[in-house]
């Protein structure tokens, strides 16, 4: 077999793998994505797309398409009742209602089911990488030989096998990851917290729920599960609980014959409370609720992301979004290492930054699953991520604490490790309406106003071969929509204060104008673990 070469081999073409492909393309990284399935998932699976994921989609040019495909924001609520026609139902909204308090993001989250989201991501990935995105291609085997990874791939349509040598292999291939198993990385944590039958069906339920329309419909009668809206009209998912242990699951599974669509339609009618409902069952799948975390995110040249690295209970909608955040963190680091201006130790900061966050997400989601009084959608949770690693240079005034999420709420700040705060901008280019639009694709040195003194520092970084753009919040044409907002977030009126922002939008360094022109290049090399 002939052998070809690529910088990065991505295994898995779900939302996480496809997002990684798009992000690598945006960084100019040669890569191949291999997905064993011939086409995207026909089942809705994950549905919640958080604000942080939408910000990432904004950066790769997908925000408008995803928003157009999702449920309207007024439908992102939780319903609780005995059935869908219960007159004593309770309907609650997200943890923070749209328009409530200060605006923390230009890209609020929404509900967009995975069967709709994946084709949008696939189309964008192919626009950017064309034939390098290969569905119907499975990973047969791989071997990490130190300098790289030798993989054998197979095209399922004709059975042709070929070898591909990659500098790096990223497993985005789900909870049963072949890549993780091949790398010998163990998973830790409980399995079987619950088992469910997911029934995808069509029925004219839109008129039934017209006065109580929601994204999720939880049924309070024990054992009946709940409904998930795909379009809140004809397309739905019914989640039927099969029990939390193998014995109970076997008993319930005997009653729920997944091959008998007439029986399943009856389950749907009973749960909905509409005996004469016209139901057409399209397909089914069974799934298990686990709460597991990989012991490591990296083994030599192999890295893990998404469900291959962490399996998050769906109670809260953070699983897919945590995976998308993984690859946003990883893509720019792979780009810097493959371009040669970062040391391989930079990739160790991927686990240092993302694994503690995943641990916390798993704990929050597990607590949600055990909360019988219910929980609310927290769209802003992943905006609160604060990283602590060698890729972040702390400010002397910053508290010395480990990186974490803040479930108490989003409190934006211009501190190293935090996501750059969103400030609404007006004037200037039409595609720059937020401070987040000033970031990337390389590093960004961000000042409050145009300040030519920083130009020599920025040029010194670029002469070292490191992509960096010098940008300012305010220009002759552009300004903050709320005057003075940036100064309040920065906590300083000094014109010589600047932020070094990483390509993933997190702040790497904050400081004032240095007298020595070698200072900024040295700081950037520290962040990149460059020799």
């Amino acid at each position: 077999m002939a052998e070809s070469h690529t910088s990065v081999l991505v295994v898995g073409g779900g939302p996480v793998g496809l997002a990684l492909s798009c992000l690598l393309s945006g960084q100019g990284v040669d890569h191949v994505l291999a997905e064993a399935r011939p086409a995207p998932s026909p089942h809705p699976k994950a549905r919640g797309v958080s604000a942080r994921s939408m910000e990432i989609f904004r950066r790769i040019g997908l925000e408008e398409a995803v928003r157009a495909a999702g449920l309207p924001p007024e439908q992102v609520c939780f319903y609780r009742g005995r059935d869908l026609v219960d007159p004593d139902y309770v309907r609650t909204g997200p943890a923070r209602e749209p328009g409530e308090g200060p605006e923390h993001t230009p890209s609020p989250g929404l509900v967009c089911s995975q069967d709709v989201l994946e084709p949008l991501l696939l189309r964008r990935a192919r626009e950017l990488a064309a034939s390098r995105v290969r569905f119907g291609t499975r990973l047969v085997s791989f071997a990490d030989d130190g300098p790289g990874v030798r993989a054998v791939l197979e095209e399922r349509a004709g059975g042709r096998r070929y070898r591909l040598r990659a500098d790096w292999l990223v497993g985005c291939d789900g909870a049963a990851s072949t890549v993780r198993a091949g790398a010998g990385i163990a998973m830790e944590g409980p399995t079987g917290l619950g088992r469910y039958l997911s029934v995808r069906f069509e029925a004219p339920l839109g008129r039934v729920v017209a006065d109580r329309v929601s994204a999720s419909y939880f049924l309070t009668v024990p054992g009946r599960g709940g409904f998930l809206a795909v379009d809140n009209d004809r397309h739905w998912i019914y989640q039927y609980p099969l029990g939390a242990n193998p014995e109970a699951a076997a008993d319930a599974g005997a009653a729920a014959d997944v091959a008998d669509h007439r029986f399943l339609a009856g389950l749907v009618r009973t749960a909905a409370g509409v005996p004469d409902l016209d139901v057409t069952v399209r397909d089914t799948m069974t799934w298990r609720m686990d709460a597991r975390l990989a012991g490591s995110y990296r083994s030599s040249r192999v890295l893990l992301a998404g469900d291959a690295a962490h399996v998050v209970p769906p109670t809260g909608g953070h699983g897919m979004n945590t995976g998308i955040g993984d690859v946003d963190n990883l893509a720019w680091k792979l780009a810097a290492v493959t371009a040669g201006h970062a040391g391989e130790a930079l990739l160790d900061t991927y686990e240092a930054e993302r694994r503690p966050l995943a641990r916390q997400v798993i704990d929050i989601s597990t607590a949600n699953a055990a909360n019988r009084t219910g929980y609310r959608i927290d769209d802003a949770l992943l905006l609160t991520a604060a990283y602590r690693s060698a890729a972040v240079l702390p400010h002397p005034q910053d508290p010395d604490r480990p990186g974490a999420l803040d479930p108490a709420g989003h409190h934006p700040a211009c501190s190293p490790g935090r996501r750059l705060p969103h400030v609404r901008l007006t004037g200037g280019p039409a595609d720059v309406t937020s401070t987040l639009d000033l970031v990337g694709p390389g590093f960004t040195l961000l000042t409050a106003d145009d300040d030519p003194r920083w130009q020599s520092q920025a040029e010194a970084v670029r002469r070292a071969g490191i992509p960096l753009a010098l940008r300012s919040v305010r220009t002759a044409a552009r300004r903050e929509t709320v005057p003075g907002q940036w100064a309040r977030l920065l906590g300083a009126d000094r014109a010589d204060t600047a932020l070094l922002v990483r390509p993933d939008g997190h702040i790497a360094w904050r400081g004032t104008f240095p007298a020595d022109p070698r200072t900024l290049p040295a700081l950037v090399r520290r962040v990149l673990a460059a020799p």
Side-chain angles (χ1 to χ4, degrees):
M1 289 183 286
E3 183 176 83
S4 55
H5 174 267
T6 190
S7 293
V8 179
L9 170 59
V10 179
V11 176
V16 173
L18 290 169
L20 177 56
S21 176
C22 293
L23 290 161
L24 290 173
S25 292
Q27 294 285 336
V29 178
D30 177 62
H31 67 282
V32 169
L33 182 147
E35 165 56 53
R37 297 170 300 158
S41 171
H43 206 85
K45 295 185 183 177
R47 299 182 310 137
V49 184
S50 74
R52 186 55 181 151
S53 294
M54 289 300 288
E55 289 178 355
I56 295 166
F57 292 161
R58 179 187 185 93
R59 208 184 313 137
I60 62 178
L62 263 183
E63 181 186 9
E64 290 185 7
V66 174
R67 198 166 298 285
L71 292 180
E74 62 271 16
Q75 296 184 8
V76 183
C77 295
F78 283 170
Y79 169 100
R80 287 177 176 83
R82 292 187 299 272
D83 50 35
L84 297 185
V85 295
D86 185 356
D88 300 319
Y89 72 89
V90 174
R91 183 173 179 261
T92 56
R96 180 177 177 273
E97 298 285 352
E100 177 187 316
E103 182 186 51
H104 292 321
T105 178
S107 308
L110 75 162
V111 171
C112 180
S113 60
Q114 188 170 334
D115 59 322
V116 176
L117 178 62
E118 275 193 25
L120 296 176
L121 282 163
L122 176 57
R123 183 176 67 192
R124 184 60 176 153
R126 283 179 167 158
E127 286 172 355
L128 296 171
S131 62
R132 308 291 274 176
V133 178
R134 302 172 186 174
F135 270 57
T137 300
R138 73 180 184 99
L139 176 69
V140 176
S141 63
F142 72 90
D144 183 342
D145 60 11
V149 175
R150 284 186 139 87
V152 176
L153 302 176
E154 180 183 78
E155 296 175 352
R156 289 203 156 184
R160 183 180 77 90
R161 292 189 174 189
Y162 58 95
R163 291 193 181 96
L164 180 66
R165 182 170 182 80
D167 299 326
W168 301 93
L169 168 63
V170 184
C172 302
D173 52 341
S177 173
T178 299
V179 173
R180 187 185 65 238
I185 299 175
M187 291 288 274
E188 307 162 355
T191 62
L193 300 177
R195 293 187 71 251
Y196 297 85
L197 171 66
S198 183
V199 182
R200 183 169 69 96
F201 69 95
E202 290 184 33
L205 280 174
R207 62 176 181 265
V208 175
V209 302
D211 64 340
R212 57 196 68 191
V213 64
S214 302
S216 299
Y217 301 79
F218 296 109
L219 306 183
T220 54
V221 175
R224 285 197 182 167
F227 292 89
L228 306 177
V230 176
D231 64 1
N232 258 322
D233 185 17
R234 290 198 55 84
H235 299 276
W236 300 84
I237 293 291
Y238 174 49
Q239 300 279 24
Y240 180 75
L242 296 177
N245 58 68
E247 291 78 13
D251 293 342
D257 184 352
V258 299
D260 186 346
H261 284 196
R262 291 180 62 186
F263 173 77
L264 296 177
L267 282 182
V268 169
R269 293 187 189 102
T270 300
V274 185
D276 60 348
L277 184 67
D278 181 18
V279 178
T280 301
V281 174
R282 293 302 182 193
D283 62 40
T284 64
M285 64 177 289
T286 56
W287 59 275
R288 186 182 71 188
M289 186 187 296
D290 296 341
R292 313 201 76 197
L293 182 62
S296 174
Y297 279 23
R298 178 186 174 191
S299 174
S300 185
R301 293 274 172 164
V302 180
L303 300 115
L304 305 177
D307 286 359
H310 44 73
V311 183
V312 180
T315 39
H318 299 306
M320 176 183 71
N321 295 297
T322 302
I324 291 171
D326 290 343
V327 295
D328 187 41
N329 184 289
L330 180 59
W332 73 268
K333 295 175 180 178
L334 283 169
V337 171
T338 57
H341 53 251
E344 290 185 14
L346 177 63
L347 292 173
D348 293 330
T349 68
Y350 166 59
E351 177 176 326
E353 293 179 350
R354 295 300 299 179
R355 191 174 182 275
L357 185 150
R359 174 73 273 164
Q360 195 173 357
V361 168
I362 289 170
D363 292 344
I364 290 170
S365 301
T366 303
N368 285 342
N371 188 348
R372 296 187 179 277
T373 62
Y375 56 91
R376 302 181 76 188
I377 299 170
D378 189 353
D379 187 45
L381 178 66
L382 298 181
L383 298 178
T384 70
Y387 294 150
R388 296 290 182 270
S389 76
V392 173
L393 308 180
H395 192 271
Q397 296 178 353
D398 290 339
D400 184 16
R401 61 171 181 259
L405 297 167
D406 187 355
H410 182 48
H411 306 286
C414 294
S415 303
R418 301 283 296 274
R419 159 190 162 274
L420 180 73
H422 157 66
V423 169
R424 182 68 63 178
L425 303 176
T426 185
D431 60 346
V432 180
T433 58
S434 165
T435 45
L436 303 187
D437 298 329
L438 300 173
V439 174
F443 280 84
T444 302
L445 187 62
L446 187 63
T447 60
D449 298 282
D450 285 327
D451 188 341
R453 292 179 301 166
W454 286 98
Q455 191 63 49
S456 61
Q457 294 275 346
E459 288 175 355
V461 174
R462 290 192 287 263
R463 281 196 299 271
I466 301 170
L468 181 140
L470 175 60
R471 298 189 174 114
S472 61
V473 173
R474 295 183 291 265
T475 66
R478 182 174 62 234
R479 64 188 185 281
E480 302 138 291
T481 302
V482 179
Q485 186 179 7
W486 183 250
R488 288 192 292 273
L489 287 169
L490 195 62
D493 291 323
R494 296 182 57 171
D496 60 353
T497 298
L499 303 176
L500 178 65
V501 186
R502 308 183 329 183
D504 61 357
H506 282 257
I507 300 166
W509 171 82
R510 167 191 167 141
T512 56
F513 182 77
D516 190 336
R518 297 170 296 182
T519 298
L520 187 63
L523 290 170
V524 176
R525 284 196 296 270
R526 280 181 58 192
V527 171
L528 292 172

